């Protein structure tokens, strides 16, 4: 009877999930991922390059979680503490991303009004060098944020009185301030470096002193050189003052003052247990941190001691370059630890670059001991930078593996090791599972530092019924790698040939192999940094492709083109740079997806017979996906459900999987007019255990949880974490009724 029930259940599930009423959306997918014989806990965060760390209790379980903001791509990574206190186990919780506003450059969580809910101090999106504050509030079990507006100066940003008016509390776009109760009076102050970079100003919050109430914020500049120290104008040297009442001199070589190089970070806390505030300083020119010891008072800091190689009594920090420190609780033991990592990602080390120092002392008198240099990153599918995934059945077992291009491993002193990776699918046709099997695929480490940012594409370039590789690089040139295996055999690649046909398109070449003009020959479409989409027509034969390079100056020689589809109406738009095209067929028509600098994926149609015309923009932010700068994607049906899944890479070097609405048969599951009906829908986690977070802003929409037979289980509500405790484990459907049209989404509940 059980066997018969399971068979009937499977039939009904299959009918429901493949009916015209059933739709997928662009949901994240969790797929087991193994590296170094270990199943990773945080594989699909999208990488981590320039992390900033704050504590918050996302799920109100009494344990401190981690809010991570990656400056590279302005990405939020919510991490829920799991397991016992004292360990470093976390679970990625992307369902919390949407509760935060759009953040940029830097973001720190601090409870300024002592209501038990963290608030956000962050760089202004509108006024450069300024600070916005977003007040947190608990709405049931869900946190919400609203920006504070002030009744003086520019209402949206923090300002302080000066002369007869107000001016902004300044934070350079590359700096990191400290937001902390400096004078221990119960409200939150700010320490930030001035525009010239030599002195750190102390902005005192006088809400307590003026009895303005807990929800108020009012700042005055109490001290223009807090601690009386000065940074050198042209190096990371720090000069201490010989007087508690006078600022040190910010001297440059030659003895004259000048505009300092931009870039400083400051982390303020009591480092020696004497109940005043000390500071850790990072500088754009240094791979070290400096600890400044305060021998003044809470009200009037005076730095008299300096550790130039912090921490001197343990393993000193040494990471290239421009470091920041964060005093946060990393293991939920109510004692804050120290995280050190680069504050930028463009010239910084990309391997072993998140150092954790365990606090073996107390929260008020810390003692730091080095714990590990790959905190959190050791649990991520992480490829250092500029990840470019490509689905391909490498070993001819019927499962889609992944060739991962990257920009290599950034080491000290600007040295780089080039890399491509092979990630094998070791699962089944219905349940993919990935394992990193080759960390130097095709020996691309052999190539010198002037290449890199490898962007692989696949197609049969010589009509031998197997698939070859064309790989773009950072210089704008192409590699050709011939597969000599023959049809339906594990791939056997010959040595890569560089500068394929002398084709050059400008930086960050991202090719696709496709017969775009439908003449039976595979052509090349190549995206690049400079807002051009290049078409190289194959003028050879199926057996021997031939391409003509673009001229050095002037327009492309017909039939080649640098303006395919005329999609770049504003050629100078920095948001659309580094385009990465990917073509699929839907409703027997080509659809082009385009990853861009801003992190969006755009989609275009009206492509056939229209290479030199205007493609039609269908969606400027497909699936509301935003994974950070320079997104790249590849699509394949990896679970045999007749829908494409999408692997997405980004500048942070990560990997993320998404469902899509695209049928792998080439026939879309939704009519064109309704293709975007579910855009913006958020439903996490899946699989779910006790709660299901649902968020969808479209009006006239209702939600129901149905069992696999289509029977009603309970109503669900948008904007909340819906309680599903007590519901039996199994496969369910979420019914989304949009103005009378029903869609269904698979949901697995585990208990």
């Amino acid at each position: 009877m059980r066997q018969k029930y399971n068979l009937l259940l499977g039939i009904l599930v299959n009918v429901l999930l493949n009916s015209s009423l059933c739709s997928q959306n662009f949901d994240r997918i969790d797929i087991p991922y193994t590296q170094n014989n270990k199943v990773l806990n945080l594989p699909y965060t999208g990488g981590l390059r320039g992390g900033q760390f704050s504590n918050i209790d996302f799920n109100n379980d009494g344990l401190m979680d981690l809010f991570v903001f990656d400056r590279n791509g302005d990405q939020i990574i919510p991490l829920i503490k799991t397991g016992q206190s004292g360990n470093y186990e976390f679970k990625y919780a992307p369902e919390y991303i949407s509760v935060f506003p759009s953040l940029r450059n830097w973001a720190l969580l601090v409870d300024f009004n002592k209501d038990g809910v963290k608030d956000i101090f962050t760089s202004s999106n509108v006024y450069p060098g300024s600070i916005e504050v977003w007040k947190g509030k608990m709405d049931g079990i869900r946190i919400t944020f609203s920006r504070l507006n002030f009744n003086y100066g520019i209402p949206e940003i923090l300002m302080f009185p000066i002369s007869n008016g107000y001016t902004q509390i300044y934070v350079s776009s590359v700096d990191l301030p400290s937001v902390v109760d400096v004078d221990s009076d119960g409200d939150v102050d700010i320490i930030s470096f001035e525009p010239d970079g030599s002195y750190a100003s102390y902005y005192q919050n006088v809400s307590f002193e003026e009895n303005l109430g807990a929800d108020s914020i009012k700042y005055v500049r109490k001290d223009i050189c807090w601690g009386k120290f000065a940074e050198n104008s042209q190096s990371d040297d720090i000069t201490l003052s010989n007087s508690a009442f006078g600022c040190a001199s910010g001297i440059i070589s030659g003895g004259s003052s000048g505009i300092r190089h931009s870039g400083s970070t400051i982390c303020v806390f009591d480092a020696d247990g004497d109940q005043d505030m000390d500071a850790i300083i990072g500088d754009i020119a240094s791979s070290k941190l400096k600890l400044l010891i305060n021998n003044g008072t809470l009200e009037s800091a005076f730095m008299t001691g300096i550790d130039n190689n912090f921490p001197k009594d343990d393993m000193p920090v040494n990471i290239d370059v421009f470091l920041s420190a964060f005093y946060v609780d990393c293991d939920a033991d109510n004692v804050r630890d120290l995280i050190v990592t680069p504050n930028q990602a463009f010239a910084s080390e990309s391997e072993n670059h998140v150092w954790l120092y365990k606090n073996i002392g107390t929260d008020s008198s810390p003692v730091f001991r080095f714990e590990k240099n790959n905190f959190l990153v050791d649990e991520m599918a992480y490829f250092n930078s500029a990840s470019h995934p490509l689905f391909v059945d490498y070993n001819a077992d019927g499962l889609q593996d992944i060739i991962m291009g990257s920009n290599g491993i950034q080491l000290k002193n600007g040295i780089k090791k080039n890399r491509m990776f092979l990630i094998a699918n070791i699962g089944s046709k219905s349940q993919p599972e990935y394992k990193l099997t080759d960390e130097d695929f095709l020996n691309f480490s052999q190539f010198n530092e002037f290449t890199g940012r490898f962007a692989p594409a696949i197609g049969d370039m010589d009509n031998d019924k197997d698939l070859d590789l064309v790989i773009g690089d950072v210089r704008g040139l192409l590699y050709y790698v011939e597969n000599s295996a023959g049809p339906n055999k594990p791939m056997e690649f010959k040595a890569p040939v560089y500068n394929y046909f002398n084709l050059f398109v400008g930086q960050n070449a991202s090719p696709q192999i496709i017969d775009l003009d439908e003449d039976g020959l595979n052509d090349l479409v190549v995206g690049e940094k400079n807002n051009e989409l290049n078409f190289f027509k194959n003028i050879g034969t199926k057996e021997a492709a031939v391409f003509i390079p673009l001229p050095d100056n002037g327009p492309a020689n017909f039939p080649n083109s640098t303006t395919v589809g005329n999609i770049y109406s504003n050629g100078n738009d920095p948001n659309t740079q580094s385009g990465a095209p990917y073509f699929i067929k839907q409703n027997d028509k080509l659809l082009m997806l385009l990853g861009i600098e801003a992190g969006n994926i755009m989609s275009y149609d009206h492509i056939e017979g229209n290479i030199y015309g205007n493609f039609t923009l269908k969606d400027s932010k497909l699936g509301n996906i935003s994974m950070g700068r320079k997104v790249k994607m590849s699509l394949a049906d990896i679970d045999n459900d007749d829908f494409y899944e999408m692997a997405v890479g980004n500048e942070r070097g990560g990997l993320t999987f998404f469902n899509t609405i695209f049928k792998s048969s080439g026939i879309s599951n939704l009519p064109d007019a309704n293709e975007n009906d579910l855009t913006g829908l958020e439903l996490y986690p899946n699989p779910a255990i006790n709660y299901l977070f649902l968020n969808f802003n479209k009006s006239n929409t209702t939600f129901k949880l149905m069992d696999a037979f289509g029977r009603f289980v309970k109503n669900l509500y948008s904007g909340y974490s819906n309680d599903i405790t007590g519901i039996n484990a199994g496969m369910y459907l979420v019914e989304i009724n949009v103005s009378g049209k029903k869609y269904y989404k698979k949901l697995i509940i585990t208990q």
Side-chain angles (χ1 to χ4, degrees):
M1 185 68 180
R2 181 182 180 89
Q3 187 176 19
K4 182 177 179 181
Y5 170 82
N6 288 338
L7 176 61
L8 178 60
L9 176 63
I11 293 172
L12 289 173
V13 168
N14 187 65
V15 169
L16 280 169
L17 295 182
N18 290 282
S19 71
S20 61
L21 292 178
C22 184
S23 170
Q24 295 192 210
N25 196 45
F26 294 93
D27 307 309
R28 296 171 185 262
I29 314 171
D30 287 327
I31 300 172
Y33 185 96
T34 299
Q35 183 172 309
N36 297 325
N37 297 316
K38 174 186 176 183
V39 178
L40 302 186
N41 289 328
L42 307 170
Y44 305 125
T45 63
L48 181 60
R49 286 300 309 274
Q52 301 166 9
F53 302 83
S54 300
N55 282 130
I56 184 174
D57 186 359
F58 281 113
N59 54 357
N60 290 311
D61 65 352
L63 297 177
M64 280 293 103
D65 307 311
L66 281 179
F67 167 87
V68 185
F69 179 71
D70 196 332
R71 180 188 285 270
N72 188 341
D74 296 331
Q75 293 294 296
I76 296 167
I77 305 174
L79 301 178
I80 301 292
K81 180 71 182 72
T82 60
Q84 301 296 317
S85 62
N87 64 34
Y88 304 111
E89 296 176 6
F90 293 90
K91 179 183 72 173
Y92 181 43
E95 59 269 28
Y96 291 102
I97 295 175
S98 64
V99 307
F100 289 88
S102 175
L103 306 173
R104 62 176 302 190
N105 294 333
W106 62 270
L108 298 170
L109 302 189
V110 181
D111 182 8
F112 81 83
N113 56 359
K114 301 297 186 291
D115 64 353
V117 182
K118 290 297 179 79
D119 313 294
I120 309 170
F121 286 69
T122 186
S123 177
S124 171
N125 281 314
V126 178
Y127 301 98
S130 302
I131 303 175
E132 294 179 352
V133 180
W134 292 73
K135 180 182 174 182
K137 178 183 177 182
M138 289 303 299
D139 182 6
I141 60 173
R142 182 171 181 257
I143 192 170
T144 61
F145 293 98
S146 58
R147 189 180 61 198
L148 291 183
N149 288 311
F150 306 98
N151 58 5
Y152 51 82
I154 300 173
E156 297 90 347
I157 62 175
L158 289 179
M159 307 190 82
F160 68 95
I162 186 170
S163 299
N164 295 320
Y166 287 86
T167 191
Q168 72 202 89
I169 295 179
Y170 178 80
V171 180
S172 164
S173 62
V174 299
D175 282 5
L176 188 70
S178 192
V179 184
V180 63
D181 186 0
V182 173
D183 52 7
S184 194
D185 65 353
D187 51 26
V188 174
D189 311 300
I190 296 173
I191 306 289
S192 178
F193 279 91
E194 288 298 298
D196 71 358
S198 291
Y199 297 129
S201 281
Y202 167 31
Y203 299 95
Q204 183 186 30
N205 187 349
V206 294
S207 298
F208 174 80
E209 286 80 1
E210 297 186 9
N211 296 313
L212 300 179
D215 279 339
S216 297
I217 296 179
K218 180 180 178 181
Y219 285 100
V220 298
R221 186 163 63 183
K222 183 72 175 294
D223 194 341
I224 198 169
C225 58
W226 179 79
K228 308 310 175 191
F229 67 92
E231 277 207 278
N232 190 285
S233 299
Q234 293 184 343
S235 74
D236 65 337
D237 291 339
I238 291 179
T239 302
L240 303 180
S241 176
N242 56 14
S243 169
F245 305 101
C247 304
S249 176
I251 300 298
I252 66 171
S253 57
S256 61
S257 62
I259 299 300
R260 182 186 174 276
H261 58 280
S262 179
S264 297
T265 67
I266 185 166
C267 178
V268 174
F269 64 100
D270 185 0
D272 55 4
D274 64 352
Q275 298 183 7
D276 59 23
M277 290 297 181
D278 311 296
I280 294 177
I281 307 293
D283 187 271
I284 198 169
S286 179
S287 59
K288 304 283 189 177
L289 290 176
K290 298 179 185 295
L291 172 65
L292 304 184
I293 298 299
N294 182 6
N295 277 319
T297 65
L298 283 170
E299 293 76 18
S300 182
F302 177 40
M303 302 302 179
T304 60
I306 183 168
D307 177 358
N308 285 305
N309 204 22
F310 173 81
K312 63 183 179 182
D313 56 350
D314 196 65
M315 182 183 291
V317 174
N318 188 1
I319 318 171
D320 275 1
V321 62
F322 190 15
L323 307 182
S324 52
F326 302 89
Y327 192 44
V328 292
D329 185 358
C330 296
D331 54 4
D333 64 353
N334 295 317
V335 176
R336 285 174 289 181
D337 311 292
L338 196 73
I339 301 174
V340 181
T341 191
N343 185 51
Q344 62 170 351
F346 306 110
S348 302
E349 284 187 73
S350 64
E351 185 178 58
N352 299 327
H353 63 293
V354 185
W355 288 28
L356 170 63
Y357 289 84
K358 168 70 175 172
N359 184 356
I360 61 173
T362 65
D363 193 69
S364 59
S365 185
V367 177
F368 298 119
R369 290 293 178 266
F370 176 78
E371 187 84 2
K372 61 196 314 186
N373 61 11
N374 57 356
F375 179 54
L376 301 177
V377 182
D378 61 340
E379 295 289 349
M380 298 178 182
Y382 173 68
F383 308 95
N384 299 96
S385 67
S387 47
H388 294 69
L390 174 69
F391 282 122
V392 58
D393 184 3
Y394 175 75
N395 53 8
D397 63 354
L399 307 177
Q400 290 293 320
D401 311 299
I402 297 173
I403 295 173
M404 180 67 77
S406 82
N407 198 30
I409 304 169
Q410 189 70 45
L411 304 175
K412 285 188 178 300
N413 303 314
I415 299 172
K416 187 178 74 171
K417 294 191 296 185
N418 282 314
R419 285 291 187 273
M420 287 213 304
F421 304 83
L422 179 64
I423 307 167
N425 187 344
I426 60 172
S428 66
K429 288 187 176 182
S430 60
Q431 294 181 314
E433 183 176 344
Y434 285 102
K435 180 179 181 179
L436 180 62
T437 57
D438 190 340
E439 297 187 45
D440 190 10
F441 183 61
L442 299 181
N443 192 31
F444 261 61
S445 62
Q446 67 183 291
F447 298 111
N448 64 35
E449 61 185 294
F450 298 107
T451 186
R453 195 177 287 273
F454 302 124
I458 196 120
D460 188 356
M461 301 301 292
D462 51 10
N463 201 34
D464 62 354
K465 311 305 178 186
D466 59 22
L467 299 176
D468 312 298
L469 288 173
V470 173
I471 302 168
D473 85 339
V474 67
R475 297 174 64 190
L477 303 176
L478 303 176
Y479 292 84
Y480 174 63
V481 192
E482 181 185 350
N483 178 10
S484 61
N488 304 315
K489 293 181 179 179
M491 293 178 172
E492 296 181 8
F493 289 109
K494 295 183 178 180
V497 176
Y498 193 37
N499 201 7
Y500 183 51
F501 282 104
N502 295 311
L503 302 180
F504 171 74
V505 298
Q507 297 179 49
N508 302 352
S510 184
Q512 283 292 289
I513 301 171
I514 182 173
D515 181 9
L516 195 63
D517 58 3
E518 300 178 285
D519 66 351
L521 305 179
N522 273 329
D523 310 304
L524 292 173
V525 177
V526 188
E528 49 143 314
K529 180 178 180 179
N530 295 323
N531 282 334
E532 292 181 343
L533 189 60
N534 303 273
F535 170 60
F536 294 97
K537 178 177 171 56
N538 185 349
I539 61 172
T541 65
K542 288 185 177 181
E543 290 73 24
V546 176
F547 299 98
I548 302 298
L550 301 172
D552 291 337
N553 296 294
N557 292 327
F558 186 84
N560 290 347
S561 174
T562 60
T563 58
V564 174
N566 291 319
I567 63 173
Y568 290 113
S569 58
N570 180 2
N572 296 320
D573 186 353
N575 292 312
T576 57
Q577 290 182 342
S578 298
Y582 196 91
F583 293 88
I584 60 173
K585 277 211 168 183
Q586 293 292 284
N587 294 323
D588 205 32
K589 296 290 185 181
L590 278 176
L591 182 71
M592 184 181 76
L593 309 182
L594 186 73
I596 61 174
E597 173 74 31
N600 304 351
I601 298 174
M602 309 175 79
S603 67
Y604 296 85
D605 64 4
H606 294 157
I607 296 170
E608 286 88 351
N610 198 28
I611 297 172
Y612 312 102
N614 298 317
F615 294 173
T616 299
L617 176 64
K618 289 178 63 67
D619 199 325
S620 62
K621 195 171 185 180
L622 185 71
N624 207 32
I625 293 171
S626 180
M627 291 306 302
R629 302 171 51 240
K630 295 184 176 68
V631 294
K632 322 289 180 182
M633 61 275 154
S634 184
L635 281 77
D637 182 4
I638 61 175
D639 58 5
N640 204 33
D641 66 348
D642 294 326
F643 286 89
Y644 281 122
E645 285 72 45
M646 180 162 57
V648 178
N650 59 64
E651 190 67 7
R652 294 180 291 139
L655 173 65
T656 314
F657 291 105
F658 293 88
N659 283 317
T660 78
I661 62 173
F662 304 126
K663 292 283 281 187
S664 56
S665 63
I667 302 173
S668 178
N669 66 301
L670 291 174
D672 282 349
N674 296 311
E675 197 167 273
N676 298 317
D677 277 358
L678 298 184
T679 298
L681 175 68
E682 297 175 280
L683 192 154
Y684 303 109
N686 193 0
I689 302 177
N690 296 318
Y691 291 94
L692 177 68
F693 178 77
L694 183 63
N695 191 46
F696 195 47
N697 293 325
K698 191 165 288 187
S699 59
N700 299 319
T701 303
T702 59
F703 306 88
K704 295 178 181 178
L705 183 65
M706 317 291 286
D707 67 14
F709 292 93
R711 297 177 301 203
F712 173 81
V713 177
K714 69 176 297 182
N715 288 313
L716 301 173
Y717 299 95
S718 176
Y720 293 92
S721 289
N722 294 270
D723 188 354
I724 56 172
T725 54
I727 296 177
N728 292 332
M731 210 284 288
Y732 291 81
L733 300 171
V734 176
E735 179 187 283
I736 305 108
N737 189 323
V738 184
S739 299
K741 184 162 186 177
K742 296 179 180 178
Y743 301 92
Y744 295 88
K745 301 190 65 201
K746 293 178 289 186
L747 174 69
I748 304 299
I749 295 179
T750 60
Q751 298 292 350

